[in-house]
Amino acid sequence: MMSIEKEKELGRRLLEEIRTQVEFVDDQEVVQYVQSAGEKILKLIPDPLYQYRFFVIKDEGVNAFAIPGGFVFVHSGLLEVVDSDDEFICVLAHEIGHVEGRHIARRIERLKRLNIASVAAILAGVFLGKGKAGSAILATTSALNASIGLKYSREDEEEADRRAFQWLCKAGYNPMGLVTVLQKMQRMRWLGTDAIPSYLSTHPGTAERITYLEDLIKTSNCHVKFHRASRELRRVQVRISVFTKDPYLLIGRYKTALKDSPGDEYLQYGLCLAYLEAREFNNAINELNALIKGHPKRLEYKKDLGVAYYLKGDYGQAIDVLNNYLKSNSKDLTARLYLGKSLLAVSRPKEALKSIKDVYYALDEDPRIAFDLGRSLAALHQEGEAHYYFYQFYRWKGQLDAASYHKRMAIRLLPKDSQLLRKIGESRDESDENNNQDPISPGGSRGSGLGSSYEVVHSKKF
């Protein structure tokens, strides 16, 4: 079987391939919910093979998949249809079961003639079922046969289910959640919906799986502790709905629904978010203040209000509201991130740096946070470190020219004994192809290059 290191390399290549074909949901609260749910399973595994990362794909399909190297993906459609935390965590446990069982690596051994780049492209087609990897890459007979060979077998499915079952019982989650999700997927297929999940083609034997899982549950002695949908899940479902649909259309729908169900907390929250997405900031702030007044114990709405002030550009109000909220919710990473963004906007980079860095490391060096970290360091004239974090961000975005430029500048400016320089030396990626170029800033002048580079990236919306 291929080595763990080769499997990690395949995972990185496949992540790049997937990134070119889908749009990710980068909302901090949504990502944090998914990551936290996955970590509840990972805590039960004595020695996980990989450092896992979780991603949300903006797609209405009810789907989830995992790739070698510990990368787990869920479609936004799956988050919208689950009825409880149990159901969602059951799906994640199953996908982690595939990764820990190294099922893809086993199948790749049968296709030794294919290189890693080809396997990555074919796997993207298998799991996504669309896009260039789903058509052009699979146009040849050999590639099509390879794609069939890389799909999970029924034995793989049963092994992943049994691994997941053990973890779920140990944690007190209801393993019946996996059965109910599979039943939902089958109903969607029978109803002929446009969001038919490719999960059913990449994870075969659904009917048989449901039967033996039900038998396993009947004969087991699981002590179930969790049964309901948490407030966190309901908030995430509202956020997913707003972030994946037309906000102007949703504003009308929420207003109509509130006439029939006045005071419905989640309909009101959806209206607030839809106003924010439509950039109707005053309406959003008014609705949030009404929510806070009607539900004074729901402190998370104060966090939403702080974010709304930040998006409006009222950074002073954002800082006041978020600081006040964090006095009783100091571990809320979304609030800490937006506090850092607000502090940076009012030229308080030293305070911003601490807040943003705390979030970055709390999320296991999440590259999505690296851009604001780089901005803070650039404002403090710590150019070498700033370039390093810009490199991490652009590498994550798949913008390899920008990643290569910032990588070269980080190597040039970081002290020789820097841990960040050592991390660069340990990493190798596609941006290395351009690293023989002289590190000249986009404007053509030598030096740190942060001036013109920072102005370019800061003008974009991320």
Side-chain angles (χ1 to χ4, degrees):
M1 194 185 300
M2 71 190 314
S3 69
I4 294 288
E5 286 307 312
K6 280 286 185 184
E7 205 168 345
K8 289 178 180 178
E9 182 185 349
L10 171 60
R12 289 190 292 269
R13 290 289 190 98
L14 184 48
L15 176 61
E16 295 298 329
E17 187 73 38
I18 291 170
R19 186 183 288 121
T20 66
Q21 299 185 54
V22 302
E23 183 179 355
F24 289 119
V25 175
D26 282 338
D27 177 68
Q28 194 60 46
E29 190 166 337
V30 173
V31 173
Q32 192 175 336
Y33 173 80
V34 176
Q35 184 81 29
S36 297
E39 286 172 356
K40 288 172 183 173
I41 297 299
L42 295 174
K43 287 177 182 176
L44 305 170
I45 305 174
D47 272 313
L49 293 172
Y50 310 99
Q51 182 179 0
Y52 281 79
R53 286 201 182 278
F54 297 82
F55 306 86
V56 181
I57 293 174
K58 188 180 289 188
D59 185 272
E60 66 177 357
V62 182
N63 197 16
F65 62 94
I67 63 175
F71 301 104
V72 182
F73 302 82
V74 298
H75 288 222
S76 57
L78 174 65
L79 277 165
E80 287 195 83
V81 303
V82 294
D83 289 320
S84 68
D85 297 275
D86 282 348
E87 285 189 345
F88 184 62
I89 287 176
C90 283
V91 174
L92 292 186
H94 176 84
E95 296 308 321
I96 293 170
H98 278 304
V99 178
E100 290 294 308
R102 303 188 67 198
H103 294 156
I104 293 294
R106 293 180 191 177
R107 302 201 155 272
I108 290 172
E109 273 303 292
R110 305 173 189 177
L111 303 167
K112 291 183 178 179
R113 290 176 294 174
L114 294 176
N115 59 36
I116 283 183
S118 298
V119 171
I122 291 169
L123 280 171
V126 168
F127 285 119
L128 296 176
K130 61 183 181 181
K132 71 177 182 185
S135 54
I137 290 293
L138 300 184
T140 65
T141 302
S142 59
L144 184 59
N145 288 337
S147 74
I148 294 170
L150 288 170
K151 290 184 178 181
Y152 295 132
S153 67
R154 297 193 179 196
E155 291 76 16
D156 293 335
E157 292 303 314
E158 183 169 347
E159 182 183 344
D161 281 336
R162 290 187 182 276
R163 285 175 183 268
F165 185 86
Q166 291 177 357
W167 298 328
L168 292 162
C169 284
K170 187 176 179 180
Y173 289 99
N174 189 350
M176 192 65 186
L178 187 54
V179 173
T180 55
V181 170
L182 290 172
Q183 289 171 335
K184 286 176 183 176
M185 291 181 179
Q186 281 194 317
R187 284 197 298 272
M188 292 179 71
R189 180 174 62 185
W190 296 333
L191 292 171
T193 174
D194 290 337
I196 294 173
S198 57
Y199 193 92
L200 295 180
S201 63
T202 57
H203 296 67
T206 304
E208 293 88 342
R209 287 174 62 196
I210 290 174
T211 300
Y212 77 68
L213 280 168
E214 287 178 332
D215 290 341
L216 193 59
I217 291 166
K218 287 176 185 176
T219 58
S220 70
N221 191 26
C222 281
H223 179 61
V224 176
K225 303 174 187 174
F226 308 100
H227 302 278
R228 61 185 176 79
S230 64
R231 285 190 55 79
E232 290 82 5
L233 174 59
R234 291 298 180 229
R235 276 178 59 89
V236 162
Q237 289 177 320
V238 174
R239 295 177 78 85
I240 282 286
S241 179
V242 173
F243 298 150
T244 58
K245 297 175 178 62
D246 183 341
Y248 298 98
L249 183 63
L250 287 177
I251 288 171
R253 288 181 180 176
Y254 281 127
K255 284 183 174 180
T256 300
L258 281 166
K259 289 178 181 177
D260 297 328
S261 305
D264 185 295
E265 182 180 352
Y266 292 109
L267 289 176
Q268 284 182 280
Y269 185 50
L271 180 60
C272 294
L273 294 181
Y275 276 136
L276 281 178
E277 283 294 290
R279 304 185 67 79
E280 295 186 21
F281 300 118
N282 289 333
N283 284 334
I285 288 168
N286 289 337
E287 291 293 336
L288 280 168
N289 279 319
L291 262 177
I292 292 168
K293 184 177 180 180
H295 305 275
K297 293 184 179 180
R298 308 293 195 207
L299 298 182
E300 60 267 29
Y301 293 131
K302 293 184 179 179
K303 169 185 66 178
D304 295 315
L305 181 62
V307 173
Y309 277 125
Y310 168 80
L311 295 174
K312 182 185 177 184
D314 193 341
Y315 305 120
Q317 280 276 43
I319 291 169
D320 289 343
V321 171
L322 292 170
N323 266 328
N324 187 51
Y325 169 78
L326 285 165
K327 288 177 182 177
S328 54
N329 298 272
S330 60
K331 294 183 179 180
D332 191 307
L333 298 182
T334 301
R336 291 180 70 84
L337 177 62
Y338 276 92
L339 175 61
K341 286 173 174 282
S342 301
L343 289 166
L344 192 56
V346 296
S347 301
R348 292 162 63 180
K350 189 173 181 179
E351 297 166 82
L353 176 62
K354 183 182 185 314
S355 187
I356 295 168
K357 186 175 277 190
D358 286 347
V359 177
Y360 177 75
Y361 285 110
L363 292 176
D364 198 19
E365 301 186 26
D366 191 328
R368 285 167 284 206
I369 314 299
F371 180 70
D372 287 312
L373 194 50
R375 289 175 58 206
S376 303
L377 289 160
L380 292 168
H381 307 291
Q382 299 179 36
E383 287 88 355
E385 291 183 55
H387 280 295
Y388 170 82
Y389 291 109
F390 284 143
Y391 154 62
Q392 292 292 348
F393 174 78
Y394 283 115
R395 180 186 180 194
W396 152 250
K397 293 292 287 185
Q399 297 178 20
L400 298 183
D401 286 342
S404 176
Y405 165 72
H406 287 293
K407 183 175 186 176
R408 295 195 309 273
M409 293 305 304
I411 291 170
R412 182 177 190 178
L413 295 171
L414 283 169
K416 298 301 181 186
D417 60 348
S418 168
Q419 287 189 343
L420 299 183
L421 192 60
R422 179 175 55 79
K423 286 183 178 182
I424 291 176
E426 292 172 353
S427 69
R428 180 132 189 107
D429 53 68
E430 292 85 344
S431 69
D432 289 327
E433 296 174 5
N434 297 325
N435 274 343
N436 58 348
Q437 301 175 30
D438 194 35
I440 300 175
S441 66
S445 61
R446 299 177 186 274
S448 76
L450 276 175
S452 53
S453 177
Y454 173 70
E455 287 164 11
V456 171
V457 296
H458 187 52
S459 67
K460 298 178 182 178
K461 180 185 178 184
F462 295 104

